[in-house]
Amino acid sequence: KRRHNQSQRSAQMSSDQLSPFASQPTTGARDITRRKLMVAAGAAAAIPAVPHQASAAALHAASTSSPAQTAPVPPGAKGPVIPASGYLVEEIADRVFWVTDGLYQSIFLITSDGVVVVDAPPTIGHIILRAISSVTTAPVTHAIYNHHHADHIGAMSLFDGARRYAQREVTKLLRQTPDRNRPLPDVSFEDRLTLRVGDDEIQLDYHGPIADGLQ
C-alpha cells in the first residue's frame, strides 16, 4: 500500500512538472515548471536565428550581384516602332491597313465603295479617322464589331452613317449594356456572313465564345 502511494505521488509530480496548468500545484513545483518552460521557449525561439541571418545575408548578396543573363527578346515580339505622331498606319496587305499606338489597334480595308473598319478602341478613337484620311478620301461605309468589349469598340460611334455588323451573341451583350459609344449593330449573323463591298468580298466567321465575337 505504501509502495502504491509513492507511485501515485511520483506520477502526480511528473504530471505537475510537465503541465503549467496542473491543478493545485505547490509553489515550488509551479516555479520550477515555469522556469523550465521559459528556458525551453527561449531555446526554441533561438533556433531560427541562424538560418534567418543566413537568409538575410543571401538576399543581400543576391541584390548586390549582377543580374542573371536572359535570352534576348525576339525582334518580332518587340512590336512596331511608333512614329513621333504617336501612332502607326501601315499597309499589311493589298489596300488593308492597320492603325496602332503600340498597344491597341484597328484595321481597315479600302474598297471602291468606301472603307470597311474593324474595331475602334477608344484610346485611339481620335486617331482612326485621321489615319484613314491620310491614305484615302473615301468615307467609312461599313464597321465590324470583333466583340463587345468597350476597350476594343468604344469609339464605334465615330462612324456616323456606316452600316454596322456583329455576331448575334455580341448584339445580345450590347443590348444588356446600352452605350451610345457602342451603337447596336444594323446586321447580326449566326455563324457566317459574307459582305460584298465594291469589288471585294469579306467573310465573317464565328468560331465560338473565345472572345464573345469573331475570330
Side-chain angles (χ1 to χ4, degrees):
K1 193 169 185 179
R2 183 180 299 169
R3 187 175 300 168
H4 177 70
N5 292 337
Q6 288 177 349
S7 299
Q8 283 184 333
R9 284 196 296 272
S10 298
Q12 182 64 38
M13 287 180 65
S14 299
S15 175
D16 290 346
Q17 289 173 350
L18 289 173
S19 174
F21 304 107
S23 60
Q24 301 299 325
T26 62
T27 304
R30 180 179 290 275
D31 291 341
I32 292 171
T33 304
R34 285 179 177 172
R35 283 197 295 273
K36 287 183 178 180
L37 288 175
M38 289 174 66
V39 171
I47 290 173
V50 173
H52 175 74
Q53 291 173 358
S55 300
L59 288 173
H60 176 71
S63 64
T64 55
S65 62
S66 58
Q69 296 296 320
T70 59
V73 178
K78 293 181 179 179
V81 176
I82 305 300
S85 62
Y87 65 94
L88 172 71
V89 185
E90 185 177 30
E91 189 171 11
I92 56 177
D94 181 31
R95 296 174 290 109
V96 177
F97 295 79
W98 79 316
V99 186
T100 181
D101 61 352
L103 182 61
Y104 283 95
Q105 60 189 5
S106 174
I107 62 173
F108 62 91
L109 167 67
I110 301 174
T111 76
S112 58
D113 281 355
V115 177
V116 181
V117 177
V118 179
D119 284 357
T123 54
I124 61 171
H126 62 292
I127 293 171
I128 297 174
L129 291 177
R130 192 187 316 162
I132 292 173
S133 64
S134 70
V135 293
T136 182
T137 57
V140 175
T141 56
H142 298 71
I144 299 169
Y145 292 79
N146 178 50
H147 60 287
H148 80 289
H149 294 163
D151 62 329
H152 286 267
I153 62 169
M156 276 292 190
S157 58
L158 290 172
F159 310 127
D160 289 332
R163 194 165 179 79
R164 299 178 175 86
Y165 301 81
Q167 198 273 341
R168 187 183 65 177
E169 296 301 320
V170 174
T171 302
K172 287 182 180 179
L173 290 167
L174 290 172
R175 284 200 179 102
Q176 292 174 11
T177 55
D179 182 358
R180 65 180 183 179
N181 293 316
R182 294 178 293 165
L184 289 176
D186 301 295
V187 178
S188 298
F189 65 95
E190 183 68 29
D191 296 315
R192 175 173 294 183
L193 177 67
T194 300
L195 299 181
R196 291 176 176 82
V197 186
D199 299 325
D200 295 282
E201 282 191 359
I202 304 168
Q203 184 167 302
L204 307 179
D205 291 321
Y206 177 65
H207 297 284
I210 298 174
D212 301 321
L214 305 179
Q215 300 300 316

